[in-house]
Amino acid sequence: MLGLATRRLLTRTAFAAPPLSGRFYAVQRFNLSSLVFVETKGSGFDEGALNAITAARKLSGPVTAVVAGSEADATAKAVAKIDGVSKVVVAKDAVYDHALPETNASLLKALQEKENATHIFAPHSAAGKNIMPRLAALLDAQQISDIIAVEGEDTFVRPVYAGNAIATVKTSDPIKVLTVRTTSFPAASVSDSASASVEAAPAIEAKPLSKWLKEDVAKSDRPDLASAKRVVSGGRAVKSAEGFKIIYQLADKIGAGVGASRAAVDAGYCDNSLQVGQTGRIVAPELYIAIGISGAIQHLAGMKESKVIVAINKDADAPIFQIADYGLVGDLFTIVPELVEKI
């Protein structure tokens, strides 16, 4: 009898808990809010922020965009027109220029405390990968990097092992620090009808521990690799910087951006800013033409989300053909000039 009574008591206690848990969960959902770091580019901003804002909008709370730098006022006017942004917080100070991690991480920490934000997003760009780990350390949170999907307020999806496996990560941290793979989320639209409120950020003591010296940027009239709708990439098989010129010729013919494999970059055939892959740029254009690229997993990690993939390689067994929609087996120095001539 004692055992039966004990079991009944435990049963009643077990059924008494869920309603309280459910009420707490509802309050937690109501308080969701997100910050999105927007990297300034002069008076404009890095377009990866548009994709990060889309990721933040997958949650139910308001989205606050953070704009910092000496020209932040002009940038804020453009950011305020992004659909889905509830508010823009502006920190106008040269100490935040060039996305230096020490000052910008301190700013985001102060804003998280002021706004009581539960999620902080940034593009998985050089700036995002520089600032967000430092911010996570300041908040004593574990960063979740390079997410490709938002499944809930505490559950996110990210690629691992160069994209060969997909991990679903659930975090118990009260504050989520996340970087976003921009190619996995559509860009938020910009319209004149959208007009988020704009307010100044609180003054904080931000001390830069590093000094900005200079930036060497390869300038080109071709479409930017990250946002190009068509990309032509060359690999080791082009044999030289002179041989790489046929990649430029085809790209110019179809109005495409130019990419390269790591092997081509390491060999000095082109600038390292063109590198596509796990340790380079992640792209997902409508058309990706891989010329003389074998298809190492590190390269595939940067381009396999492309809508249509065309491979040109003399090796019929090259791994690139396993993911290509169309393939041409033959000498690239014969095929590519013919394509240029006939387009």
Side-chain angles (χ1 to χ4, degrees):
M1 293 296 292
L2 180 59
L4 179 60
T6 302
R7 285 196 297 273
R8 286 176 177 171
L9 177 60
L10 290 174
T11 301
R12 286 195 295 271
T13 303
F15 277 99
L20 178 60
S21 175
R23 287 195 297 272
F24 175 75
Y25 181 71
V27 172
Q28 191 178 41
R29 292 279 296 177
F30 181 77
N31 289 331
L32 290 180
S33 63
S34 300
L35 294 178
V36 178
F37 174 74
V38 178
E39 182 185 358
T40 57
K41 297 284 188 180
S43 59
F45 61 90
D46 179 67
E47 292 186 355
L50 298 173
N51 309 89
I53 287 168
T54 297
R57 290 177 64 187
K58 298 291 183 181
L59 302 170
S60 61
V63 176
T64 298
V66 180
V67 178
S70 55
E71 298 185 60
D73 283 344
T75 304
K77 293 178 181 179
V79 174
K81 296 183 181 296
I82 301 174
D83 289 333
V85 173
S86 306
K87 180 170 62 176
V88 181
V89 177
V90 182
K92 185 178 180 181
D93 194 320
V95 75
Y96 301 116
D97 282 349
H98 311 299
L100 293 179
E102 301 90 356
T103 54
N104 283 276
S106 297
L107 172 65
L108 288 171
K109 181 178 183 292
L111 290 175
Q112 185 280 322
E113 294 170 349
K114 177 180 180 292
E115 302 289 335
N116 197 27
T118 56
H119 297 73
I120 307 174
F121 292 84
H124 194 66
S125 59
K129 289 184 283 187
N130 209 11
I131 294 168
M132 301 302 272
R134 189 178 188 89
L135 172 64
L138 293 173
L139 294 173
D140 194 24
Q142 296 188 56
Q143 178 180 321
I144 302 176
S145 302
D146 202 20
I147 65 168
I148 60 174
V150 177
E151 293 197 345
E153 62 185 76
D154 59 357
T155 308
F156 309 90
V157 180
R158 63 183 298 267
V160 293
Y161 302 118
N164 287 294
I166 302 297
T168 298
V169 182
K170 186 170 185 177
T171 176
S172 59
D173 285 339
I175 304 168
K176 285 74 173 174
V177 180
L178 310 122
T179 58
V180 175
R181 177 172 291 197
T182 55
T183 57
S184 295
F185 296 88
S189 58
V190 179
S191 64
D192 292 332
S193 60
S195 183
S197 61
V198 179
E199 66 178 50
I204 66 167
E205 188 177 355
K207 295 182 179 179
L209 302 179
S210 55
K211 182 180 179 181
W212 178 263
L213 296 179
K214 66 175 183 176
E215 181 179 48
D216 292 323
V217 179
K219 296 182 179 180
S220 173
D221 294 331
R222 300 183 183 91
D224 180 68
L225 185 57
S227 58
K229 293 183 178 180
R230 292 176 290 275
V231 172
V232 179
S233 286
R236 190 202 307 269
V238 301
K239 298 181 179 180
S240 65
E242 183 69 23
F244 202 87
K245 289 180 179 179
I246 64 172
I247 306 298
Y248 294 125
Q249 291 169 5
L250 179 58
D252 291 341
K253 194 75 172 183
I254 63 174
V258 173
S261 68
R262 179 169 180 171
V265 169
D266 288 348
Y269 300 166
C270 58
D271 188 79
N272 61 8
S273 64
L274 303 183
Q275 183 176 326
V276 173
Q278 185 180 10
T279 54
R281 308 289 289 275
I282 306 294
V283 299
E286 294 176 2
L287 173 64
Y288 187 89
I289 303 178
I291 301 174
I293 295 175
S294 63
I297 59 172
Q298 291 85 357
H299 185 78
L300 300 186
M303 47 66 70
K304 65 182 179 181
E305 293 181 12
S306 303
K307 306 303 182 292
V308 176
I309 298 173
V310 176
I312 301 173
N313 201 298
K314 67 179 180 181
D315 181 6
D317 296 322
I320 191 72
F321 287 119
Q322 296 177 12
I323 68 163
D325 299 286
Y326 302 94
L328 286 172
V329 179
D331 184 358
L332 68 88
F333 292 104
T334 300
I335 293 173
V336 176
E338 287 182 5
L339 284 173
V340 172
E341 181 181 350
K342 293 179 179 180
I343 292 177

